[in-house]
Amino acid sequence: MTAKVCKGITNTNADSSVRIDCDCQHIWSLAQQFAFKRLSTATPIFGKPNQLLFQYNVRARRISATYARFYLETEEHGDLSKKGRYYWMAIAAFASKTVACSLEDSRVVLIDRIHKGLAKGNMWLFYDIAPWHWAYSLDADSFRLCIKARSADSMAEPIRDSIHAMSWSPEALPKIGNLKCSDSIVEGFEKVREIESKSPLNLVRTILQIEHLMAIAKHEQLNILQPLIYDDPDFAWWVKTQRSAWVNWASPQLKLVFAAACDTDDPELESVAPGDTQLEIYKSRMKWIAQAANKFHGLMQKKTSYMESQLQTMASWADQQDRLPAPRYGPY
């Protein structure tokens, strides 16, 4: 399968490029490379370029930035006239920021299994989800042609080697389906296509946005995070333990804050998990996610300027760097 979407750089004229044909393997390889570079250091470490950032919280903030940039259409190949099509990306920016805040919380750092589990889930979700969006932004027609062709083992050799060299890859790749397509991804991006066809003032568009959000949320929660971290007996045990009365007082409150800051004094800007939420159980977790999505949706409609200003703040984190020396808990 061939899609005419790639550009090659010429060496005869400054800043020039030429359109060339790319097959699906190259499209997905380029998309995966984008995700790798976003979580890489700016300067070489021990003489090696593009090394994975050590600090989990810095990775999470860069992920948050990338999600915000996708929503705002300021990411590579973005189209400002289509802002709003990647609705999941907006709520995901707040979610990854929340993960970053948790990873910076001393109470979480002390529990190694939770600390590493959150970092692992957040990173591999990013490696799965960001390339889908990058490839769609590159060329929607080629994306639809190539959607079923994506696999960690069918990319260009350097990218394939990089995938298998990433943190937790021997464990992660089989559990998350080797980066292959799911029914929810197909549904989610079909909703993107429908959103693009509607005027921003069309009420049907807002319905499509929340439907898109929930389709991608189903993919991330059921196909990525559930098998990767929540089905891990040790991680699940710690999550259950944190709900118990004797330790709950020392655990961070389970909530999603719709601000670039870690916390807020405004209850309108947060979604607190219901008291009976069992985070390790998919259906229980999705019940809260649906409530959070509805609150998010309301804020995006009523407080658009505020919400997008917070997304712009998070988008500015795309170049955050590790603080030296590298902490004891990286890279695994």
Side-chain angles (χ1 to χ4, degrees):
M1 292 181 286
T2 302
K4 298 179 180 180
V5 296
C6 296
K7 287 186 177 180
I9 305 301
T10 70
N11 58 8
T12 55
N13 299 301
D15 300 321
S16 65
S17 63
V18 61
R19 193 175 181 90
I20 59 175
D21 288 355
C22 278
D23 60 20
C24 294
Q25 179 195 48
H26 287 89
I27 290 172
W28 291 123
S29 298
L30 290 168
Q32 204 67 46
Q33 183 182 46
F34 161 79
F36 290 162
K37 288 178 68 176
R38 182 51 51 86
L39 298 189
S40 297
T41 57
T43 55
I45 297 178
F46 303 122
K48 296 183 179 180
N50 298 323
Q51 294 297 293
L52 180 66
L53 292 158
F54 273 90
Q55 292 179 299
Y56 298 156
N57 63 310
V58 177
R59 295 180 197 173
R61 288 186 180 275
R62 282 210 192 181
I63 290 169
S64 176
T66 308
Y67 292 160
R69 285 160 59 95
F70 269 116
Y71 171 78
L72 294 168
E73 297 290 344
T74 56
E75 193 48 89
E76 292 180 11
H77 314 297
D79 184 341
L80 285 174
S81 71
K82 297 177 179 178
K83 188 174 69 174
R85 59 178 171 168
Y86 297 144
Y87 209 51
W88 178 88
M89 282 292 187
I91 195 171
F94 291 108
S96 188
K97 178 270 306 182
T98 299
V99 171
C101 294
S102 295
L103 292 169
E104 292 160 359
D105 192 309
S106 59
R107 294 168 292 182
V108 175
V109 173
L110 288 173
I111 306 174
D112 190 63
R113 177 63 68 172
I114 293 290
H115 195 237
K116 288 184 176 178
L118 288 174
K120 175 174 61 178
N122 201 45
M123 187 186 82
W124 278 101
L125 172 60
F126 177 73
Y127 282 161
D128 174 85
I129 205 69
W132 294 115
H133 289 76
W134 187 93
Y136 189 95
S137 292
L138 180 69
D139 187 87
D141 291 335
S142 295
F143 174 90
R144 285 190 283 273
L145 178 68
C146 294
I147 190 170
K148 296 294 181 66
R150 186 183 176 200
S151 169
D153 292 327
S154 64
M155 297 185 195
E157 185 175 354
I159 301 301
R160 185 169 66 247
D161 291 345
S162 294
I163 292 172
H164 288 284
M166 285 295 161
S167 301
W168 303 292
S169 63
E171 169 196 357
L173 286 170
K175 290 183 177 180
I176 66 174
N178 222 29
L179 302 177
K180 293 180 181 179
C181 186
S182 71
D183 290 343
S184 295
I185 285 293
V186 174
E187 179 186 357
F189 280 93
E190 179 60 25
K191 295 297 181 184
V192 169
R193 186 187 67 80
E194 293 181 57
I195 291 166
E196 290 175 329
S197 71
K198 305 297 182 184
S199 160
L201 299 178
N202 190 316
L203 292 178
V204 175
R205 188 175 190 265
T206 66
I207 297 171
L208 291 168
Q209 284 177 315
I210 200 72
E211 290 176 347
H212 153 78
L213 186 159
M214 293 308 298
I216 301 297
K218 180 178 179 180
H219 172 76
E220 62 153 327
Q221 294 296 329
L222 183 61
N223 300 313
I224 308 297
L225 298 180
Q226 189 65 40
L228 186 56
I229 62 174
Y230 291 114
D231 286 345
D232 180 329
D234 290 336
F235 186 88
W237 183 86
W238 274 111
V239 170
K240 293 176 186 176
T241 300
Q242 286 183 303
R243 289 199 298 270
S244 63
W246 65 272
V247 76
N248 186 261
W249 65 271
S251 302
Q253 186 180 25
L254 190 57
K255 65 180 179 179
L256 180 58
V257 174
F258 298 114
C262 287
D263 212 344
T264 179
D265 295 326
D266 186 349
E268 185 182 3
L269 299 178
E270 61 183 22
S271 174
V272 179
D276 61 351
T277 301
Q278 295 175 282
L279 200 61
E280 72 281 7
I281 297 176
Y282 167 73
K283 288 185 177 180
S284 179
R285 193 167 67 252
M286 284 299 290
K287 182 180 177 182
W288 173 39
I289 288 171
Q291 292 178 13
N294 286 331
K295 188 157 197 178
F296 162 81
H297 191 49
L299 289 168
M300 289 293 282
Q301 305 307 309
K302 298 174 184 177
K303 294 181 176 289
T304 306
S305 296
Y306 164 79
M307 293 290 278
E308 292 195 351
S309 72
Q310 299 304 297
L311 288 164
Q312 287 166 357
T313 296
M314 292 184 285
S316 71
W317 301 339
D319 297 318
Q320 279 200 4
Q321 298 296 324
D322 286 328
R323 296 178 182 176
L324 297 177
R328 62 176 178 80
Y329 54 77
Y332 289 95

